[in-house]
Amino acid sequence: MTYMTQYNPATGEAITEIPETDASAVQAAMKRARDAFPAWSRTPLDVRLGCLKRLREHLVDQMDPVAQDIAKATGKVQVEAVIAEIFPTVDTLRYIEKNAARILAPQRVKTPLLFFGNRSYVEYKPMGVIGVISPWNYPLYLSIVPVLSALIAGNTVLFKPSEVTPLVGAVIEDLFAAAGFPPHVVQVLHGGRETGQAVVAARPDKLFFTGSVATGKKIMAAAAEHLIPVELELGGKDPMIVFADANIDRAVKGALWGAFTNAGQVCMSVERVYVEASVYDEFVRKAIAATQNLRPGIDYGSMTYPPQLAVVEEHLADALEQGAKIECGGARQEPGLYFAPTVLTGVTPGMRIMREETFGPVLPIMPFQTEQEVIALANDSDYGLNASVWSQDLRKAKRVASQLISGNVCVNDVITTVANPHLPFGGVKHSGMGRYHGPEGLHTFSHQTSVMVNKGTKPQEINWHPYTPELHDAFNTLTRVLYGKNRSAPFYKLKNLITQVLRTYKNQKTAPQTSSLPQPPQNNQIPM
Ligand code: NAD
């Protein structure tokens, strides 16, 4: 048995060892997950939701020790473990509890005139075994939400937590045990890259990945071999746009929280700030003063992963070489992986710190002159995860928001779209593909089947054989009347159309009376 060491990045101490799952054991786990699938997918939804509710309640009961473990494994301050990990997790679970029956129920849709008398609906069915691979920055929230969404949609799950925070992987395994899921419905595979690769190679029915762009590309390439659908939740380089008419004090506080919470290791961190030139000096002055008041270990934690700290230093070095100025911070702090929150000015769009994901506590600020200029600057990025627009003129803020190429936009706030479980979440461009949270959060783990029901009592349909000149003529008339510029037709053409329609009803048997509406949702049962 090999073990993974969990370090506390805030102190550098080794705190525990977690047994690693041998990559060769993943195939056997997949077999168990496949065997568990038929019974779990047929388990009534309220029983599945009962497991979710037990997990939610147990997590709340165990909030303090869980927050302590998260803080120890990541270096974040404990209050952030509660605010940004435990709270949004249980809030999203409650959303699923309340809405799953509605979201997973077959959805009735309209049927066009051509198919008069038919009924149409969309059915949502479990896909099979879902592979979920998670990162280290929010190791609880970014694991439990996709795993539980997949489970409630009726799938079984192979879950691989990050090797950087194995202690949280073990905490999550305990939560699954407390929830009372049947054996092998959800299995935790502890390990690093090889274990993740083995999950992909085991050919799950869908892969849900949260992590870096580089790994996302590899996973997508490996999944393409077997046409495994992927959802990729990747990195960001989120712009913050501050207009002169914004509440500047609030915007400064928002910028600091957006850039420094979780030591800047948020996929939706504020990574570049554009401030309208007339308030730029005021904004920078206030941002420096407020940053200098932040207290290590209280207002901000340490970084989590040594290679990420190295990226921060590389980006800063590149920026300084090209003329940027560190206004405050900019250096490691003792102990562990602390890095002082940093305000950077004199930045230009070509610098690495304005183009690549820094994922650390750095706030680069540059001025802009016009609305069109700042929209272009914000959109000039490979990424498109989140963005924020700050103005007290909400019409202007919304006008700008709608021109940003981004999966999410906040107005007069940062990051928070992800924490609203009603809003679909995901990125555009290199920030990823697919959406979860909201109804999409369950639909993304479902096969959709479109069904059209014909009572089968007419002897034939209008479009069936035999093809005749009259049928051809009738469809010409129908197309013109329904969709043409001139929606009229001569009487003899309409008469032919009616004759062709009546042909389909000739010798019709009486239909048995059945309900025309889908039945209310009962454990994903098909509507009659
Ligand atoms: P990472 O890509 O290094 O690792 C993520 C996970 O993938 C880990 O569990 C890792 O073991 C696994 N992995 C690595 N190589 C693999 C491979 N070849 N095949 C299968 N699995 C493999 O990412 P990270 O450093 O853990 O996380 C930080 C990144 O995640 C940042 O870029 C951040 O922006 C992004 N992120 C995105 C979101 C989002 O929702 N969009 C949320 C949080 C973090």
Side-chain angles (χ1 to χ4, degrees), residues 258-277:
F260 303 142
T261 188
N262 213 39
Q265 304 160 120
V266 188
C267 52
M268 289 170 297
S269 283
V270 169
E271 291 237 349
R272 28 186 193 131
V273 184
Y274 303 101
V275 181
E276 194 161 0

Side-chain angles (χ1 to χ4, degrees), residues 132-138 142 160-164 191-200 207-216 218-219 222 232-236 265-268 271 305 308 357 359 383 385 418 425-427 431-432 436:
V132 175
I133 300 176
S134 298
W136 45 260
N137 62 332
Y138 289 96
L142 296 174
K160 195 203 83 66
S162 169
E163 68 276 30
V164 180
R193 180 164 44 90
E194 291 77 16
T195 313
Q197 286 168 323
V199 170
V200 180
L207 277 159
F208 184 98
F209 171 75
T210 308
S212 63
V213 172
T215 308
K218 287 181 197 150
I219 286 184
L232 302 177
E233 300 289 347
L234 309 177
Q265 304 160 120
V266 188
C267 52
M268 289 170 297
E271 291 237 349
Y305 187 41
Q308 198 62 50
E357 187 179 47
F359 221 55
Y383 292 98
L385 191 53
V418 69
F425 176 75
S431 291
Y436 75 132

Side-chain angles (χ1 to χ4, degrees), residues 113-248:
L113 187 63
L114 181 62
F115 306 111
F116 181 76
N118 286 5
R119 295 281 178 254
S120 308
Y121 59 87
V122 182
E123 200 191 342
Y124 299 95
K125 296 185 285 198
M127 302 176 92
V129 182
I130 309 293
V132 175
I133 300 176
S134 298
W136 45 260
N137 62 332
Y138 289 96
L140 184 94
Y141 177 52
L142 296 174
S143 303
I144 290 192
V145 170
V147 169
L148 264 291
S149 302
L151 290 169
I152 292 306
N155 305 282
T156 54
V157 173
L158 295 183
F159 162 56
K160 195 203 83 66
S162 169
E163 68 276 30
V164 180
T165 49
L167 173 60
V168 183
V171 166
I172 294 170
E173 196 167 15
D174 290 346
L175 288 168
F176 291 151
F181 287 102
H184 311 137
V185 160
V186 51
Q187 297 172 77
V188 183
L189 306 166
H190 298 281
R193 180 164 44 90
E194 291 77 16
T195 313
Q197 286 168 323
V199 170
V200 180
R203 298 204 203 179
D205 297 287
K206 176 154 190 173
L207 277 159
F208 184 98
F209 171 75
T210 308
S212 63
V213 172
T215 308
K217 285 181 183 172
K218 287 181 197 150
I219 286 184
M220 192 167 168
E225 281 289 308
H226 307 293
L227 283 181
I228 300 170
V230 289
E231 174 153 348
L232 302 177
E233 300 289 347
L234 309 177
K237 190 73 198 169
D238 294 358
M240 171 174 181
I241 298 172
V242 183
F243 285 102
D245 61 1
N247 176 337
I248 298 299

Side-chain angles (χ1 to χ4, degrees), residues 6 57 68 86 88 112 174 179 185 214 225 270 289 299 313 361 365 393 431 450 458 462 475 477 480 486 491 505 526:
Q6 176 69 70
E57 290 172 350
Q68 277 161 17
I86 295 173
D174 290 346
V185 160
E225 281 289 308
V270 169
D299 296 319
E313 290 177 327
I365 314 174
D393 177 350
S431 291
S450 298
K458 285 183 276 177
I462 188 172
F475 262 89
T477 307
R480 282 209 181 85
N486 175 5
F491 177 72
Y505 285 96
I526 304 166

Side-chain angles (χ1 to χ4, degrees), residues 14-32:
I15 49 176
T16 187
E17 304 259 298
I18 305 293
E20 187 170 350
T21 313
D22 194 306
S24 65
V26 174
Q27 271 300 349
M30 173 55 87
K31 164 97 177 55
R32 292 193 293 270

